[in-house]
Amino acid sequence: MDQIHDIRFRFYEKGENVSEIAAAMHLDWRTVRKYIDQNDFNDPAPKPVVDKKFCPKLDPYKADINEWLIDDKSAPRKQRHTAKRVFQRLLAEVPGFDCSYRTVAAYYAVKHREIFKQNKDAYLPLVHRPGEAQVDFGTAEFYENGLKLTGKYLEVSFPYSNKGYLQLFYGENMECLLEGLDAIFRHICVVPEELWFDNTKVIVTEIIHGGGRKLTDKFERFREHYRFKAVFMNPGAGHEKGNVENKVGYQRRNFMVPVPRFLSLSEYNRQLLSECEKDANREHYRHNETIEERFQADLKACHELPVIAFDLNGHQTLKADNWAKVYLNKKQHAYSVAPKYAQCPVHLVLTSSLVIIQDENFREIIRHRRLYGDTRQEQMDWLPYLKQLSLRPRALKYSGIYEMMPESMQTYLASCSSSEVGQILKLLSELTGRTGFDSAVNTVNHAITYRVKDADSLSNLYRRLYSDIPELPAMTLNLGIPQMKVMQPNLTAYDALLKRTGADCHVG
């Protein structure tokens, strides 16, 4: 991707033609033309059940080559390594070296250019031009469906016009960044020519001496796909993009006070874009025109959206553990798969809000709400586990799943006879499928209170707790039949009786 970016930078930014680029980079002109015309930078589509383990032959020796070239920066220009000298030293000093000169020369060309080239991006413009945008994240609390959450919002501001847009997310990661940028680009129907960023770990994996940046592959593909220039601030100098820093605070104070409450985050994000449009009708703080009027110059300086959609999702292949779980965020966040996939590779599709787990042929197994934060958390779908256990109830206490169950459910199953366990597990899986695992646990808690240990009583308790049983109207009696006083049953008295009677009573 570094080479592709260099080709496109020379063509689109520096104005070099195909022949000049091919000569300068020692490439075939057809290769140069291919990457200039390329407009789809999605990852190549994965192939099912393929051995993806491969390693470039030069990898074991790259650390030595890098060290020699970095040391050259303090050496006289005429006493620095050439590709040929690097190759000679590897042959002489590294036991077992077996790569060709052509391989060494190709790597040397890229690494030498990376270390010694002049970094023109380090010079920041004194005047903000139309079509330039700045990007940052802010923190905000919100209520979704009554649940209080602390999330992050992506802010994109245009310093020339002082217009800004934001999108709210549950956290801050690559999927949040790309989804937010894509949503804002599509809302304004264009892509800014230049975007300024902090050196966030979401994008930058290494700051190279001299001002260069090593970027994540996903971000590089996104940048090339949307064809914008990425500019990074000096480390610890966020003030260099002061417009977006100010916009983060302004929009928090104006759009997120009081703390927002909504049912759907996606719907609220659409509302936020509308609020940004309304806000742009105010007068610019420095010029005698509105923000929206100045924003028209920003739009004219931007370029069109790409025709081909970009895959904004993250992709990982992991191996499920003995309990059929996979882990993200340094193993802080656990997600269940299904018992039959224990010790099997699975493919994860990551969005800002979901973790979709697929088998090795990319068929969906299950999807979970994505977890955020630095504490240990778990997303568990009990339905497939209960179904599996109901088929083999004798393996319950030896499966490892038993210890993962709530303590009350463990206590209840331990008190049941071996002949009842299979039926109860089957019933619990049915209840979980109807109204969720919490309803099954609540039914078990009531069964413990009433000291009942059979599937029929458990089913009756569930119906009483969760079924909407209609009240029948009074019967119309024929003339001559005396009117009887209506007796109102006292169910509390029955409950008390059942608790006293013990395990021999069944719920009716």
Side-chain angles (χ1 to χ4, degrees):
M1 289 302 301
D2 283 345
Q3 188 181 64
I4 295 172
H5 175 63
D6 199 14
I7 292 169
R8 293 166 66 86
F9 178 83
R10 286 171 178 267
F11 184 83
Y12 288 110
E13 301 290 342
K14 298 176 71 174
E16 296 180 9
N17 60 38
V18 174
S19 299
E20 289 173 335
I21 298 171
M25 300 184 67
H26 308 291
L27 297 172
D28 187 276
W29 70 269
R30 297 177 184 84
T31 301
V32 175
R33 172 54 64 186
K34 169 187 172 184
Y35 290 125
I36 288 173
D37 293 340
Q38 186 171 344
N39 59 6
D40 184 5
F41 286 88
N42 282 297
D43 281 313
K47 297 179 181 179
V49 199
V50 184
D51 182 11
K52 299 181 181 178
K53 295 181 180 179
F54 67 93
C55 182
K57 202 172 182 181
L58 198 60
D59 277 358
Y61 318 108
K62 287 180 180 177
D64 291 332
I65 299 172
N66 295 349
E67 183 179 353
W68 296 340
L69 295 181
I70 291 171
D71 289 344
D72 276 353
K73 297 192 76 173
S74 58
R77 183 177 62 83
K78 294 184 179 181
Q79 289 181 257
R80 294 173 179 172
H81 287 81
T82 62
K84 185 175 181 180
R85 181 58 184 146
V86 169
F87 178 69
Q88 290 171 343
R89 285 192 65 181
L90 289 170
L91 286 174
E93 300 176 20
V94 180
F97 177 75
D98 59 348
C99 296
S100 68
Y101 170 74
R102 184 175 180 179
T103 302
V104 174
Y107 179 73
Y108 172 89
V110 174
K111 198 65 184 179
H112 188 273
R113 183 171 60 251
E114 177 182 298
I115 293 174
F116 289 95
K117 72 178 181 180
Q118 292 183 349
N119 184 17
K120 296 181 180 178
D121 290 344
Y123 298 93
L124 300 176
L126 297 176
V127 178
H128 295 296
R129 304 184 308 273
E132 169 197 313
Q134 299 179 358
V135 182
D136 202 0
F137 274 98
T139 303
E141 293 184 346
F142 58 91
Y143 290 88
E144 184 180 29
N145 276 328
L147 179 64
K148 186 178 182 180
L149 300 168
T150 300
K152 297 282 187 175
Y153 60 97
L154 179 75
E155 185 74 52
V156 176
S157 72
F158 292 81
Y160 177 81
S161 63
N162 197 33
K163 190 170 185 179
Y165 294 95
L166 75 161
Q167 290 286 272
L168 183 60
F169 295 97
Y170 300 109
E172 179 181 351
N173 54 33
M174 180 63 75
E175 289 69 48
C176 296
L177 173 67
L178 300 190
E179 287 179 23
L181 289 175
D182 180 78
I184 292 170
F185 294 165
R186 297 195 177 281
H187 176 74
I188 63 178
C189 300
V190 289
V191 179
E193 289 293 322
E194 186 171 293
L195 291 172
W196 293 17
F197 297 91
D198 283 327
N199 296 286
T200 170
K201 292 181 180 179
V202 173
I203 304 174
V204 179
T205 60
E206 181 183 355
I207 300 177
I208 302 169
H209 181 69
R213 302 291 189 276
K214 186 175 182 181
L215 309 179
T216 57
D217 182 75
K218 187 72 174 182
F219 180 79
E220 283 197 296
R221 291 180 179 278
F222 182 83
R223 177 190 63 189
E224 295 302 328
H225 193 89
Y226 287 83
R227 204 163 62 80
F228 61 82
K229 181 180 180 181
V231 179
F232 294 93
M233 304 300 97
N234 291 313
H239 61 275
E240 293 177 347
K241 51 181 185 57
N243 183 267
V244 74
E245 300 280 348
N246 292 332
K247 191 67 70 178
V248 165
Y250 171 83
Q251 294 198 332
R252 183 194 293 117
R253 294 188 298 271
N254 286 272
F255 297 167
M256 307 237 174
V257 176
V259 176
R261 296 173 180 267
F262 48 81
L263 297 177
S264 167
L265 180 58
S266 59
E267 182 60 36
Y268 183 67
N269 273 329
R270 285 191 285 271
Q271 181 182 332
L272 283 174
L273 294 175
S274 298
E275 292 295 325
C276 293
E277 297 297 347
K278 294 176 185 177
D279 182 68
N281 292 321
R282 59 192 173 92
E283 188 172 342
H284 191 277
Y285 67 94
R286 183 175 295 171
H287 300 277
N288 294 323
E289 53 185 332
T290 65
I291 291 174
E292 185 60 33
E293 288 170 343
R294 287 185 65 81
F295 185 60
Q296 299 310 306
D298 276 318
L299 293 177
K300 289 179 182 178
C302 295
H303 57 264
E304 294 181 350
L305 288 163
V307 176
I308 299 174
F310 187 83
D311 180 10
L312 305 170
N313 301 327
H315 298 271
Q316 289 190 34
T317 298
L318 300 176
K319 186 177 181 181
D321 65 9
N322 291 330
W323 293 272
K325 294 182 182 180
V326 291
Y327 301 86
L328 294 175
N329 193 32
K330 299 179 181 179
K331 294 198 171 183
Q332 293 278 21
H333 300 159
Y335 299 88
S336 68
V337 186
K340 70 176 183 177
Y341 294 99
Q343 290 296 320
C344 292
V346 291
H347 183 68
L348 275 62
V349 179
L350 307 175
T351 75
S352 64
S353 57
L354 294 173
V355 174
I356 303 169
I357 304 178
Q358 302 172 333
D359 64 17
E360 56 186 4
N361 288 308
F362 307 105
R363 294 172 298 201
E364 183 173 327
I365 302 169
I366 195 170
R367 58 177 59 200
H368 292 288
R369 178 179 62 83
R370 189 165 185 176
L371 299 170
Y372 285 92
D374 294 325
T375 58
R376 290 186 179 274
Q377 301 174 63
E378 181 177 82
Q379 281 284 55
M380 187 75 185
D381 185 350
W382 280 97
L383 186 57
Y385 292 84
L386 292 172
K387 285 183 177 179
Q388 184 80 2
L389 286 173
S390 68
L391 301 176
R392 301 179 62 189
R394 293 183 180 179
L396 173 63
K397 293 186 179 180
Y398 310 101
S399 63
I401 301 173
Y402 178 76
E403 296 179 0
M404 293 159 51
M405 291 180 170
E407 185 176 349
S408 61
M409 189 169 284
Q410 292 183 36
T411 302
Y412 181 72
L413 291 170
S415 68
C416 295
S417 64
S418 56
S419 60
E420 283 282 350
V421 169
Q423 296 180 32
I424 289 174
L425 286 170
K426 183 178 180 181
L427 177 61
L428 290 176
S429 70
E430 292 176 1
L431 304 186
T432 300
R434 289 183 206 167
T435 51
F437 185 65
D438 288 343
S439 66
V441 174
N442 188 35
T443 304
V444 166
N445 292 339
H446 278 75
I448 292 172
T449 302
Y450 295 133
R451 301 180 186 178
V452 295
K453 304 175 183 178
D454 60 283
D456 288 340
S457 296
L458 201 64
S459 179
N460 287 334
L461 273 172
Y462 175 83
R463 284 199 298 271
R464 177 177 169 184
L465 292 169
Y466 294 100
S467 296
D468 186 13
I469 303 174
E471 184 176 343
L472 297 176
M475 293 181 61
T476 302
L477 302 177
N478 295 328
L479 295 175
I481 298 179
Q483 294 288 332
M484 304 294 292
K485 184 179 179 181
V486 177
M487 301 293 293
Q488 295 293 339
N490 185 356
L491 297 180
T492 304
Y494 282 97
D495 288 342
L497 176 63
L498 286 170
K499 291 177 184 177
R500 289 200 305 270
T501 303
D504 293 334
C505 280
H506 293 263
V507 177

